[in-house]
Amino acid sequence: MHKESKIKKNQEYSRREFFETSSKVALLGAFGGGFSTLFAQTQNPTNPNTQGAMMNLTNNAKANFEKLFGNTDVPLAQTDPEFFGNYVNFAFDEVIEHSHLELQERLLITLASLVAIPALNEYKTMLVAALKNGVSPVAIKEVIYQATPYVGFGKSIDFITATNAIFKAHNIALPLQPQSTTTRENRFEKGLQTQRELFGEAIDKGNAAAPKDYKHIRSFLSANCFGDYYTRTGIPLKFRELLTFVYILSMGGADAQVKGHVSGNIRIGNDRAKLIAVVTALVPYIGYPRSLNALSAIDEITLKPTK
């Protein structure tokens, strides 16, 4: 009996150890390569490459980086100290100096851009930083929901799944409070009303001029894109339109839509300076071609000669 009891105890321990290990692996997977390879605590903080990378950071870059991520002892500083120094000094010193955005606003805009690129690993890393710095879980979820009609359900589901795993790791109860304000019966009218608020009479003209064989797509825009998403609570309409500008410029290849949403932003109160600040904040993540295209769109819309 004693031997059988011992075997049973060992079997129970093995099962418990397996499930505990599996949980740890699952959690690591939720954070993904961005967190585990870039921002996880290094095992050798005295590595001379790490020390050299730290010495090459400006005071502002190091302070801003540590505010977001907690430390600068990261594996990337060991394996690629020059890359690490270039990234941190640029993104967390020079760019912040010239973009003039509040911290939580900057984090939400960055998350929105990473959804649209898409850059899932970096998104996971930045999401942890956002939670650490007081960004509302509701606002974070709304960033993904608002992205859906622009990036598609396929991408959104990946980001929702990753976000849910990180929320659970931070003991954030799911589901969050619902934010929808429309019904199946009124979503079209409320969406159309929102479109008119952002784009004026151009919406009705466009709807009237649309060929008959794809008028249903125009209806989709009103009911789904604007009715299902723009009308939600959690973040205000003015910021939703700013996020849409972020999604489209980050995706690339939609220059006409970038111009349209520059106009929508100007109409709702996000001025030229605000739009340029957003593009500036995103340069490290989207690169120069998309940034310069966005600036050209801003110039075209905001520097038009007045009649």
Side-chain angles (χ1 to χ4, degrees):
M1 281 293 292
H2 177 71
K3 185 177 181 181
E4 289 177 355
S5 177
K6 188 174 182 180
I7 291 172
K8 184 177 181 181
K9 184 176 180 181
N10 286 339
Q11 287 174 336
E12 289 174 352
Y13 175 80
S14 297
R15 283 196 297 268
R16 185 169 67 252
E17 185 178 43
F18 169 80
F19 285 120
E20 288 175 351
T21 302
S22 298
S23 297
K24 291 176 182 177
V25 171
L27 181 59
L28 181 60
F31 285 96
F35 183 83
S36 60
T37 62
L38 181 56
F39 298 113
Q41 182 72 32
T42 180
Q43 298 300 311
N44 186 13
T46 60
N47 185 297
N49 288 335
T50 301
Q51 292 178 328
M54 297 307 106
M55 290 176 60
N56 288 330
L57 297 183
T58 68
N59 290 335
N60 284 340
K62 187 173 182 181
N64 288 328
F65 189 90
E66 289 181 340
K67 180 176 178 62
L68 289 176
F69 306 110
N71 70 83
T72 49
D73 276 337
V74 297
L76 190 67
Q78 291 185 16
T79 60
D80 297 87
E82 293 176 320
F83 180 90
F84 177 81
N86 285 344
Y87 169 50
V88 176
N89 283 331
F90 180 58
F92 301 102
D93 187 350
E94 293 174 87
V95 167
I96 289 177
E97 180 185 356
H98 290 282
S99 57
H100 309 298
L101 297 170
E102 296 294 330
L103 176 59
Q104 293 191 0
E105 180 182 37
R106 179 190 306 280
L107 286 165
L108 287 170
I109 285 168
T110 304
L111 290 173
S113 180
L114 295 170
V115 170
I117 291 171
L120 184 57
N121 281 337
E122 189 69 4
Y123 169 88
K124 296 171 189 175
T125 299
M126 202 61 68
L127 173 55
V128 175
L131 292 172
K132 177 179 180 290
N133 286 274
V135 177
S136 159
V138 168
I140 291 167
K141 271 292 180 76
E142 289 305 310
V143 162
I144 307 174
Y145 285 20
Q146 177 74 13
T148 302
Y150 300 98
V151 305
F153 282 103
K155 290 180 185 177
S156 290
I157 289 171
D158 286 344
F159 284 89
I160 288 172
T161 301
T163 299
N164 288 345
I166 293 173
F167 278 8
K168 288 177 182 178
H170 285 75
N171 297 315
I172 297 169
L174 295 171
L176 302 178
Q177 288 295 314
Q179 304 297 321
S180 178
T181 65
T182 60
T183 65
R184 297 296 298 177
E185 291 72 31
N186 66 18
R187 60 200 274 269
F188 174 83
E189 286 302 327
K190 287 198 171 186
L192 182 58
Q193 179 181 344
T194 301
Q195 285 180 288
R196 288 167 174 158
E197 185 174 351
L198 291 169
F199 305 109
E201 62 183 13
I203 291 300
D204 294 305
K205 288 181 178 179
N207 288 343
K212 185 177 180 180
D213 54 357
Y214 65 74
K215 277 186 180 291
H216 61 284
I217 302 294
R218 304 287 299 198
S219 296
F220 287 173
L221 276 169
S222 297
N224 177 243
C225 181
F226 289 89
D228 288 342
Y229 296 101
Y230 267 84
T231 59
R232 293 173 61 83
T233 53
I235 51 177
L237 177 61
K238 184 176 177 181
F239 192 65
R240 286 188 183 277
E241 180 58 10
L242 191 64
L243 289 176
T244 296
F245 172 67
V246 170
Y247 303 134
I248 297 173
L249 74 90
S250 299
M251 291 166 60
D255 293 347
Q257 286 74 26
V258 172
K259 292 174 188 176
H261 284 279
V262 169
S263 296
N265 272 281
I266 296 298
R267 187 180 179 93
I268 201 71
N270 294 315
D271 62 12
R272 174 184 168 89
K274 185 72 164 187
L275 297 180
I276 291 175
V278 167
V279 175
T280 303
L282 297 181
V283 170
Y285 304 101
I286 64 174
Y288 289 99
R290 293 177 184 181
S291 300
L292 293 173
N293 285 345
L295 293 174
S296 294
I298 293 170
D299 282 350
E300 185 171 333
I301 301 303
T302 64
L303 299 182
K304 284 181 179 178
T306 55
K307 295 181 180 179

